[in-house]
Amino acid sequence: MNRIALFLLFFLYYTTNLQAQKKMTIPPYLQKGDTIAIAATARKNIDDNLEPAISWLKSWGLEVVVGSSIGLEYHQLAGTDKQRAADFQAQLDNPNVKAIWCVRGGYGTVRMVDLLDFTKFKQNPKWIIGFSDVTVLHSHLNTMGFASIHGIMPVSSKASAEAKETLRKSLFGENLEYNIP
């Protein structure tokens, strides 16, 4: 009996730590002149409230593409599942887009994630950024062995200067330092 228990314990430990031991692929860091896309995977959003975020990105020397899902409306979502997935897929497949910044969370990403094809992404990884509902994308990418950024969103108008600077440093591959008082 003890041998079986020991085997089961070893098996559980080994299988649960496989993912933690997997080497993550880090997408290329951004450089001035690169393009970042803003897309909606979940809740609807209007163009108007993106101006502050677009200004930050441009001040960092980046070009900005606003996805076709921005401004769409289907109940609380930014278009149907197919529309949101098609926009995100277009950004994933566009070799000129080096990062995709999800506009907001809420609900809806889990409904479209299975409609996405990550084949081209695997060949040309890029940063996927967001939090809340976007965590389903982070989990999916992590399972495939790709790093992403769980960070502020374009509509995070109350984000601190420190949060914005941390995102910039993360995207450009600069050293991050944290002080815990």
Side-chain angles (χ1 to χ4, degrees):
M1 183 70 165
N2 287 339
R3 289 178 122 165
I4 293 172
L6 186 60
F7 173 78
L8 286 174
L9 187 60
F10 173 77
F11 178 77
L12 285 173
Y13 173 79
Y14 179 75
T15 57
T16 56
N17 284 300
L18 281 178
Q19 184 61 35
Q21 296 172 12
K22 191 176 188 179
K23 183 172 169 51
M24 298 296 285
T25 299
I26 307 291
Y29 293 112
L30 301 188
Q31 300 174 13
K32 288 187 179 198
D34 281 346
T35 300
I36 186 169
I38 298 175
T41 60
R43 288 172 94 44
K44 61 188 172 188
N45 195 77
I46 54 171
D47 251 343
D48 297 351
N49 65 348
L50 295 179
E51 278 310 311
I54 291 171
S55 292
W56 306 334
L57 297 172
K58 288 183 176 181
S59 75
W60 298 346
L62 298 173
E63 301 296 322
V64 181
V65 172
V66 176
S68 62
S69 56
I70 304 300
L72 293 181
E73 186 173 347
Y74 181 73
H75 303 290
Q76 68 175 353
L77 303 171
T80 64
D81 297 343
K82 287 183 181 179
Q83 288 172 314
R84 294 188 324 280
D87 181 26
F88 198 82
Q89 188 70 58
Q91 309 311 332
L92 276 178
D93 294 347
N94 184 339
N96 297 320
V97 171
K98 306 299 183 196
I100 305 171
W101 201 9
C102 299
V103 73
R104 69 178 344 136
Y107 171 73
T109 308
V110 72
R111 293 172 40 150
M112 51 138 309
V113 71
D114 290 334
L115 301 175
L116 300 173
D117 178 359
F118 288 89
T119 303
K120 289 185 180 179
F121 173 87
K122 290 176 184 177
Q123 298 165 355
N124 184 28
K126 52 191 74 182
W127 291 106
I128 308 299
I129 311 147
F131 68 92
S132 182
D133 196 56
V134 180
T135 304
V136 72
L137 289 172
H138 297 306
S139 177
H140 192 75
L141 292 169
N142 183 272
T143 300
M144 294 188 308
F146 291 91
S148 57
I149 298 174
H150 191 271
I152 62 172
M153 301 219 216
V155 295
S156 300
S157 59
K158 295 180 182 176
S160 69
E162 184 178 27
K164 294 172 192 174
E165 183 62 9
T166 298
L167 177 60
R168 187 194 66 74
K169 285 181 173 183
S170 298
L171 287 171
F172 284 88
E174 297 177 16
N175 288 334
L176 294 171
E177 293 181 22
Y178 300 98
N179 294 317
I180 301 173

